[in-house]
Amino acid sequence: MNSPFTAPSTIPHDPAAEDLEHQREAIAALGHQLRLLVDATVRTAASPATLDRLAGGVRALTEQLTGHRRQPADIPEVDEFPGGIRMYSPVTGPGSPLAPPMRVTPMDGGVMGRCLLGIAHEGPPGYGHGGVSAMLLDELMGWACAAAGSPGMTISLQMRYHGPVPLEAPLRVNAQVTGTDGRKVFVEGSIATEEAPSTILVQADGVFVTPAPEAARALFPALNNAK
């Protein structure tokens, strides 16, 4: 009798998929360490001599990132665009030193994001920058469009700030599509803390538009070469 530990897998071996997953894991690991570095950098009260020495060390590390550098219009090979993984997104990307990063899950009628803002995202002391709140909502509202089958781009985003968003507190970000009109998609979003999810701190109303095929080809020329 075959042991469950020795039985052959029914899933075909896919070296390309394994390589992609390994690449994503490495990107996420580097992104995590960079976020720790950014956090330490904005907290430190180190001396100028220490900062000068560290700047030289960081410069030396940067010089090790050799090889091809993607251009702004390039779509990273590790991404799924549109409507999928974005490894370097400043909101959800595990490889981004700027991202919280927000974790997104589907929910009834929309999507939910969970994250925690650090001092690098600070506006008023102890609270998140208002522009960061807008960025979180804009991103998640775009996810809501994609989840509804209408991936689109923002054409309008109206913000209402009811209270400051605390730093280093688990946040709950919600977004849901409320209607459509042709290629336009109407979306609502909100930010609250996990501790008080019914107390809305920030609200947003957005209008997104799904580009026509010819517009999408012009906006994202790399998609024209995708297989």
Side-chain angles (χ1 to χ4, degrees), residues 87-109:
M87 290 298 295
Y88 299 107
S89 161
V91 175
T92 60
S96 170
L98 306 176
M102 185 164 64
R103 300 177 305 282
V104 182
T105 55
M107 57 175 288
D108 289 342

Side-chain angles (χ1 to χ4, degrees), residues 4-199:
F5 300 103
T6 58
S9 171
T10 58
I11 301 175
H13 177 64
D14 187 348
E18 290 183 1
D19 289 345
L20 177 60
E21 186 61 26
H22 187 204
Q23 182 74 7
R24 286 175 175 165
E25 290 174 355
I27 289 169
L30 178 58
H32 175 69
Q33 293 302 321
L34 288 174
R35 286 189 291 274
L36 294 178
L37 176 61
V38 168
D39 184 74
T41 299
V42 298
R43 290 177 184 268
T44 188
S47 68
T50 298
L51 296 176
D52 286 341
R53 175 173 54 81
L54 291 174
V58 172
R59 186 182 308 112
L61 289 174
T62 302
E63 291 172 353
Q64 295 182 45
L65 294 173
T66 58
H68 173 73
R69 291 179 180 268
R70 66 183 178 95
Q71 299 304 307
D74 295 343
I75 299 173
E77 294 182 357
V78 292
D79 279 6
E80 297 172 356
F81 180 82
I85 294 171
R86 302 295 306 281
M87 290 298 295
Y88 299 107
S89 161
V91 175
T92 60
S96 170
L98 306 176
M102 185 164 64
R103 300 177 305 282
V104 182
T105 55
M107 57 175 288
D108 289 342
V111 290
M112 175 184 293
R114 287 184 164 92
C115 64
L116 184 148
L117 298 180
I119 293 183
H121 306 112
E122 189 174 57
Y127 299 98
H129 194 290
V132 172
S133 294
M135 184 170 65
L136 296 180
L137 284 165
D138 183 50
E139 174 91 359
L140 194 67
M141 291 161 78
W143 278 70
C145 291
S150 302
M153 301 176 68
T154 318
I155 60 173
S156 173
L157 188 65
Q158 296 184 339
M159 306 292 301
R160 296 186 299 280
Y161 296 87
H162 303 291
V165 176
L167 299 179
E168 300 184 341
L171 302 177
R172 181 180 294 188
V173 189
N174 289 312
Q176 52 279 326
V177 171
T178 59
T180 59
D181 181 9
R183 291 188 292 110
K184 288 184 178 180
V185 185
F186 303 94
V187 195
E188 292 180 349
S190 63
I191 299 176
T193 64
E194 288 280 9
E195 184 178 11
S198 62
T199 302

